[in-house]
Structures are given as structure tokens and as C-alpha cells.
Amino acid sequence: VLDTVRVRLHRDDVSNSSVSLYFARLIGDSQSDVSAYSTAVLQPARYLGPGAEILPIALEQTAWNALWQGETATIYGDGRIEDASGSPIPGNWGTVDIGPNGNSTTQLSNQIRDGLTQDDLDSMYAQGSIPTPKYIDASSQIDLNGDTGLSSGLRHAIEDAEGKMKVAPIYKNTTSQGGNLTFEIVGWVTVEVVDSGWNGANNSFVEVRKAYAYDKNLYPVKDLSDTTKVIEGSYTSPVLIQ
């Protein structure tokens, strides 16, 4: 992604003309070339605050890392994942409770449409999942409950999200099964919801693409040289560095 812009302003024989001098004429200099530079950079995002555009679907880390930027993956209602060519990807996936445990399809749908809420953060803080109710730190591992696969109750929310950029959690391992499933969330990534289909558990699917996004409800990492543990593909708040 192009995340840096550098601007040069100059007065010289190439552009406009050299700057006329006043006092310097006393020492024989009547004009001079002048130039100035300014550099602005989009800051990598690290923290998810209220309003952050989330997709409460946990993607398996190894499968995600195997995709190139711009490639798509299809995730099915029974937990299967396929790459852009339709080949199975090892791993599994499912919806995850970012907020209260046991999120209903209504709660998940609201998150897809409206983003992360302060109530979600308050619930995670009360459960001890995050150390502050102000945001989720993408650099911190958290364990969240969830369910394998995809509920048809999410259909309309997912369809509304098609063509939009979202931030989704990445998991490394899972523990237990069924209603007691826990995802070990180890990072967050930016996806574009490309398409979806709703034809029963084996054929319902959501297609997502590795993408870049700017989100004003994400907070930046303070140290621009620190590119670890940020939200992959997400940027916020341009800042002048020169």
C-alpha cells in the first residue's frame, strides 16, 4: 500500500523563478533558489475502538498467511475454507463472540452493520479479556468464545457488508467444541467482503479478500517504526513526520 506522501515546494529556474533577496544585495546576492519538503504518512492501526468496522468471523492464521494480497478465500457454513482456485485450505473457522459470551445472531448482525460498541468493550473488560474498556489491542492475545460455521441468520447483515472493508480476528488454536468452542485470537486483519451465498450449511459461504482500509475508529500505534502486532492492512490518522 502507498502510505506516504512527500511534497517539495521550490522556487528556482525550473519552477517559477528564484526568490529575490533584499538585504543580501548588500553582499552581492540578489536572488536565491529556495526549497522546502514535507512528508506525511498514514499510521498503521493497532487499537480497535467503539465504531470500528469489525467482521466477527475468526479466520485461521496459517490459512490466512498463505494468501497473497488481493487474493480471496471462501469460507463455508460448515467451517471449510477454500482458496481463490477452489482448493481446500487446512483449518477451520467460525463466528466469534467479540463482546458478551454467546452472542445471538442479532448481536452478530448488529456488529457487522454498526461495528464494535462500547457495550462490547465493557463486556470484554468485565470478563477479563482486555485490560481496559477503551479499546482492543491487536498486539494482545485474547481467548473468545464462538461457534464453528455460519448461521443463516447472518445472511442480510453479510449481504449488506458486501463491497465493504472490515477488520476480522485471526486465531491460532481452538479448544473444546460446539457451544463451548474457544478461539485463541492472535491478531486482526483487514478484509473486503466480496460475496456470499445461502444454500444450507454445506453450500452457504462468505467470500473475503485480503485488503487495505482506512478506518477513523481505529487508533494508531504510537511508534511508527514498530510494525509488529498492528492490524494488518488497516491505517488511520495521517501524521506529518517531516
Side-chain angles (χ1 to χ4, degrees):
V1 65
L2 300 177
D3 60 358
T4 304
V5 174
R6 191 181 193 199
V7 177
R8 178 190 177 216
L9 300 177
H10 58 103
R11 289 278 303 271
D12 49 35
D13 291 336
V14 176
S15 177
N16 299 313
S17 61
S18 300
V19 176
S20 296
L21 304 177
Y22 184 72
F23 293 107
R25 292 178 181 177
L26 297 175
I27 57 174
D29 293 328
S30 60
Q31 60 185 20
S32 176
D33 295 344
V34 176
S35 63
Y37 298 87
S38 181
T39 304
V41 61
L42 284 175
Q43 299 178 93
R46 176 166 166 175
Y47 306 97
L48 295 87
E53 298 284 347
I54 62 172
L55 182 68
I57 293 175
L59 302 168
E60 199 273 331
Q61 184 183 41
T62 302
W64 177 263
N65 290 341
L67 297 176
W68 292 96
Q69 187 68 36
E71 278 193 313
T72 63
T74 303
I75 44 187
Y76 286 88
D78 60 0
R80 289 177 294 137
I81 311 176
E82 293 180 355
D83 63 20
S85 64
S87 300
I89 300 174
N92 207 340
W93 75 281
T95 55
V96 62
D97 301 336
I98 306 172
N101 286 333
N103 276 357
S104 66
T105 54
T106 298
Q107 291 171 312
L108 293 170
S109 295
N110 288 341
Q111 285 184 336
I112 294 170
R113 288 193 173 100
D114 303 322
L116 193 67
T117 69
Q118 186 59 57
D119 286 344
D120 295 330
L121 294 172
D122 290 341
S123 294
M124 295 178 70
Y125 176 68
Q127 297 161 15
S129 299
I130 53 178
T132 172
K134 295 181 180 180
Y135 50 73
I136 297 173
D137 185 347
S139 71
S140 299
Q141 177 183 311
I142 54 177
D143 294 332
L144 297 176
N145 291 343
D147 299 285
T148 299
L150 179 70
S151 168
S152 60
L154 300 178
R155 174 176 181 173
H156 298 298
I158 293 290
E159 289 177 339
D160 290 345
E162 290 175 13
K164 298 178 181 178
M165 306 298 181
K166 301 286 182 178
V167 175
I170 293 290
Y171 76 90
K172 185 175 182 180
N173 296 302
T174 59
T175 58
S176 302
Q177 295 180 349
N180 295 318
L181 182 64
T182 299
F183 291 93
E184 181 184 305
I185 305 300
V186 293
W188 298 77
V189 297
T190 306
V191 302
E192 177 188 0
V193 182
V194 177
D195 194 10
S196 65
W198 307 88
N199 303 293
N202 291 336
N203 296 310
S204 293
F205 69 89
V206 176
E207 184 181 5
V208 297
R209 175 184 289 120
K210 270 194 175 185
Y212 295 114
Y214 170 79
D215 190 331
K216 64 182 179 181
N217 295 309
L218 300 176
Y219 307 145
V221 60
K222 295 179 180 179
D223 182 359
L224 288 175
S225 65
D226 182 4
T227 58
T228 63
K229 296 298 184 179
V230 295
I231 301 170
E232 181 183 329
S234 281
Y235 298 85
T236 185
S237 305
V239 62
L240 288 174
I241 60 173
Q242 183 183 35

